[in-house]
Amino acid sequence: MIIIHILAGGPDNYVPELHKWKVCDKWIGVDRGVFTLLEQGIIPDEAFGDFDSINEEQLKAIQDRLQDLHVYPSEKDATDLELAVEWAVSKKPAYIRVFGATGGRIDHTFGAIQLLYKSLQENVKVELIDKQNSIQLFSPGTHEIEVRTQAKYVSFVPYAGGVENLTLTGFKYPLTNHYVELGSTLCISNELLAQRGTFSFTTGILMMIRSNDADCL
């Protein structure tokens, strides 16, 4: 089972403590995230970016430590993160975790969520993680989740159109075969009652957001 971790160049104050997430097969750095990984003693296996968000001294430090850089022009049809995620998805991993993709510019955050959708079409699980939240998208089916003590709240949001027959089992606020329309806030701030819970639905794309009120992840 291949697990790939990606550190994008988002604000450092949103990035969790990476030493908690070191168990993976590959680390990928994106733009300024490459330098951040090196600062934390993590040598990325791959590095992507136009590197327009770092200074010349930082770029030289990257070039001195890494031989193979995927360098792109700043004017292009995809973000640096999209290029990195596409490369990671092409390796057919079981799981991809993306850090440093939220916070700061809201357009970058929404762009990262769009990448979740593209990865879903390739049947690769991708999770966006920051200090306080994690975000995933799911296709129809039955899915099991476990309690995370550092992420008390579990919210479900329709992503593209309504979600049919949503059933939540093991939650504080259960549902049975419920239709949740696009734009609804019905499933915000739910909680698991047991160590495990399940959710299932038959139509639509469902976003799951796991959160806490403090920086815990």
Side-chain angles (χ1 to χ4, degrees):
M1 184 175 75
I2 298 174
I3 298 175
I4 297 177
H5 287 176
I6 299 175
L7 178 61
D12 291 338
N13 58 311
Y14 283 85
V15 177
E17 298 179 34
L18 295 180
H19 70 85
K20 295 180 179 179
W21 302 90
K22 281 189 175 180
V23 179
C24 66
D25 297 283
K26 289 182 182 294
W27 269 104
I28 298 176
V30 179
D31 206 76
R32 193 170 62 85
V34 180
F35 184 74
T36 302
L37 286 176
L38 293 176
E39 280 191 313
Q40 298 203 21
I42 301 172
I43 307 298
D45 299 278
E46 302 287 338
F48 293 79
D50 51 33
F51 300 101
D52 61 354
S53 61
I54 59 176
N55 59 40
E56 292 184 6
E57 182 180 348
Q58 292 170 329
L59 180 58
K60 186 178 186 305
I62 291 173
Q63 292 170 332
D64 288 344
R65 299 289 299 277
L66 304 175
Q67 294 184 349
D68 297 323
L69 297 176
H70 302 269
V71 181
Y72 300 89
S74 57
E75 295 183 1
K76 52 188 180 298
D77 295 331
T79 63
D80 295 330
L81 179 58
E82 181 174 358
L83 296 169
V85 170
E86 285 182 346
W87 183 91
V89 168
S90 73
K91 303 306 173 183
K92 303 299 182 184
Y95 214 94
I96 298 172
R97 296 186 179 98
V98 180
F99 309 91
T102 58
R105 286 179 53 177
I106 194 69
D107 57 337
H108 285 174
T109 298
F110 272 97
I113 293 172
Q114 293 294 86
L115 297 180
L116 295 181
Y117 180 75
K118 290 187 67 176
S119 303
L120 192 67
Q121 311 312 301
E122 299 294 331
N123 295 316
V124 177
K125 295 180 180 179
V126 181
E127 183 176 9
L128 304 181
I129 300 172
D130 63 28
K131 281 185 175 180
Q132 200 168 342
N133 313 279
S134 73
I135 306 172
Q136 293 175 269
L137 293 183
F138 292 87
S139 296
T142 299
H143 309 275
E144 183 178 85
I145 62 171
E146 295 186 355
V147 164
R148 289 183 181 177
T149 56
Q150 71 276 30
K152 175 181 179 180
Y153 301 108
V154 184
S155 297
F156 297 100
V157 180
Y159 179 75
V163 168
E164 295 184 352
N165 298 311
L166 178 61
T167 297
L168 306 178
T169 303
F171 286 84
K172 182 177 181 179
Y173 307 110
L175 285 177
T176 301
N177 296 330
H178 196 90
Y179 176 73
V180 184
E181 65 181 1
L182 183 65
S184 171
T185 60
L186 173 68
C187 299
I188 298 296
S189 295
N190 210 331
E191 299 176 38
L192 283 166
L193 294 178
Q195 186 63 30
R196 291 180 175 83
T198 62
F199 62 96
S200 63
F201 59 104
T202 57
T203 303
I205 301 295
L206 192 64
M207 179 186 297
M208 180 178 74
I209 305 168
R210 308 192 71 169
S211 306
N212 213 333
D213 290 323
D215 297 348
C216 296
L217 291 179

